[in-house]
Amino acid sequence: VTKTRFRFENFWTIFPHFQETVQHAWERPVRHDCSFVGMKKKMERVAVDLKVWSKSLFGGAKLQFHIANEVIMRVDVAQEARPLSTDELHLRKQLKLKVLGLAAIERARKKQASRISWLKAGDARTAFFQAKINSRRRKNFIHSLRVDGRVAIEHDEKANTIYEHFSKIMGSTETRGCTINWDEIQLPSVQTEGLDAPFSEAEIWAAVLASPAEKAPGPDGFNGQFFRTCWDIIKDEVLAVFNQFHALSGANFAKINSAFVALQPKKDGADSVGDFRPISLINSLAKL
């Protein structure tokens, strides 16, 4: 069974007890001296606690939406035959508000999944975002791969073909037939003073603000919105990670540098394994 990946939902930040949930998970002690390991464990704890918290609030949202609409329809049918009681009118009003809230949540989810950053969630219907999601899936899905005169169609066959192809060429070097004359290019000079200075909190915060708020660039599932909203809670550990990195202390850099490798087509209609280039999707902290 494939384990479900954690994905941070941006709308979580406006609901009650979000900050408390993050803080409770984050402040639990970690028995390890390495900042990289400690940061990774804290992020994993936050992910687990947020999934539980989200399920308690939004679990079965689609089912609730349809049930609420069904009850509203039955009340409307009854209203055609007789006047509604005060309790029935109150129930209908509350259910209407419930439906609007659930629809807004679903629209926010679809908008984030669609990767559309130029449009607000309230400016388009859920169907529009779902259409964009389906379009992205169709575009990103590799139906088949041609390699050495054969065609790979099954998922495992395609995965093995991709692995075999890129494992042969990645990490290897070739003798170049030409080189670049850097003196002729006349590149502008760069001030090197301060490049080896320790990272400051203001510098790291500026990087957080410059990172995409709605996109999670890697396996941990956290995006820029999480770092912005929870900065006061997590900043001490983030600063410790950057300080340890600056000091080149420790041997656990992989803890913050895990990545997915995805294939990007070099041209339209790519169908050969050589028509794709691998790109690395690193986790959100390493992205900073």
Side-chain angles (χ1 to χ4, degrees):
V1 179
T2 304
K3 185 178 179 181
T4 304
R5 283 183 55 204
F6 170 78
R7 289 181 173 84
F8 184 81
E9 304 273 8
N10 285 344
F11 70 87
W12 285 348
T13 60
I14 64 175
F15 280 86
H17 307 301
F18 166 78
Q19 293 276 351
E20 291 89 334
T21 302
V22 174
Q23 188 166 7
H24 180 264
W26 197 265
E27 291 182 348
R28 295 203 298 271
V30 175
R31 296 180 180 178
H32 206 286
D33 296 332
C34 178
S35 298
F36 300 145
V37 176
M39 183 77 176
K40 183 175 184 294
K41 289 184 177 294
K42 286 178 179 288
M43 299 283 276
E44 290 173 347
R45 288 177 180 176
V46 171
V48 172
D49 285 11
L50 283 178
K51 287 176 70 174
V52 174
W53 168 81
S54 174
K55 188 175 182 179
S56 67
L57 287 181
F58 315 113
K62 286 187 177 180
L63 180 61
Q64 294 179 41
F65 178 82
H66 291 299
I67 291 176
N69 275 325
E70 178 68 21
V71 175
I72 291 172
M73 186 193 71
R74 292 180 180 271
V75 172
D76 289 343
V77 171
Q79 189 177 22
E80 295 176 359
R82 60 175 176 80
L84 297 179
S85 65
T86 303
D87 290 339
E88 288 173 329
L89 289 172
H90 178 72
L91 174 63
R92 185 178 183 277
K93 180 180 179 181
Q94 293 301 313
L95 289 176
K96 282 281 190 180
L97 294 174
K98 182 78 171 180
V99 166
L100 290 174
L102 292 172
I105 289 173
E106 183 65 13
R107 189 162 56 247
R109 280 176 166 166
K110 296 298 184 184
K111 190 259 182 183
Q112 185 172 344
S114 69
R115 307 287 181 88
I116 296 176
S117 57
W118 50 268
L119 188 64
K120 294 182 179 179
D123 292 341
R125 297 180 61 187
T126 305
F128 172 78
F129 296 121
Q130 184 62 52
K132 287 294 184 181
I133 294 172
N134 294 337
S135 175
R136 286 186 61 250
R137 287 175 179 171
R138 288 192 297 268
K139 182 179 179 181
N140 294 336
F141 183 73
I142 301 174
H143 296 274
S144 63
L145 283 174
R146 290 189 298 104
V147 57
D148 297 332
R150 61 185 177 88
V151 179
I153 299 176
E154 298 296 330
H155 174 78
D156 291 341
E157 189 179 8
K158 288 185 289 185
N160 292 332
T161 298
I162 292 168
Y163 176 79
E164 291 173 1
H165 175 78
F166 287 106
S167 62
K168 293 177 182 177
I169 61 176
M170 292 182 68
S172 60
T173 58
E174 296 181 358
T175 303
R176 293 181 178 272
C178 59
T179 186
I180 299 175
N181 188 342
W182 297 104
D183 295 332
E184 292 295 328
I185 297 178
Q186 298 181 355
L187 294 174
S189 60
V190 177
Q191 295 294 331
T192 59
E193 183 180 356
L195 288 180
D196 59 346
F199 299 99
S200 66
E201 180 180 342
E203 187 178 9
I204 299 171
W205 176 240
V208 170
L209 293 179
S211 65
E214 298 186 353
K215 297 180 180 179
D220 60 14
F222 289 96
N223 57 22
Q225 184 67 26
F226 168 78
F227 285 89
R228 296 180 189 186
T229 306
C230 303
W231 182 246
D232 290 337
I233 299 173
I234 69 176
K235 66 178 181 180
D236 290 341
E237 283 74 13
V238 175
L239 289 171
V241 165
F242 275 86
N243 289 334
Q244 185 170 335
F245 178 79
H246 176 264
L248 298 179
S249 174
N252 295 295
F253 293 97
K255 296 298 182 182
I256 62 167
N257 201 34
S258 56
F260 285 138
V261 175
L263 295 184
Q264 185 178 53
K266 299 178 183 177
K267 62 181 183 180
D268 293 336
D271 61 352
S272 173
V273 68
D275 293 338
F276 296 86
R277 66 167 58 90
I279 57 173
S280 178
L281 308 174
I282 62 178
N283 70 44
S284 50
L285 183 60
K287 193 76 171 181
L288 299 178

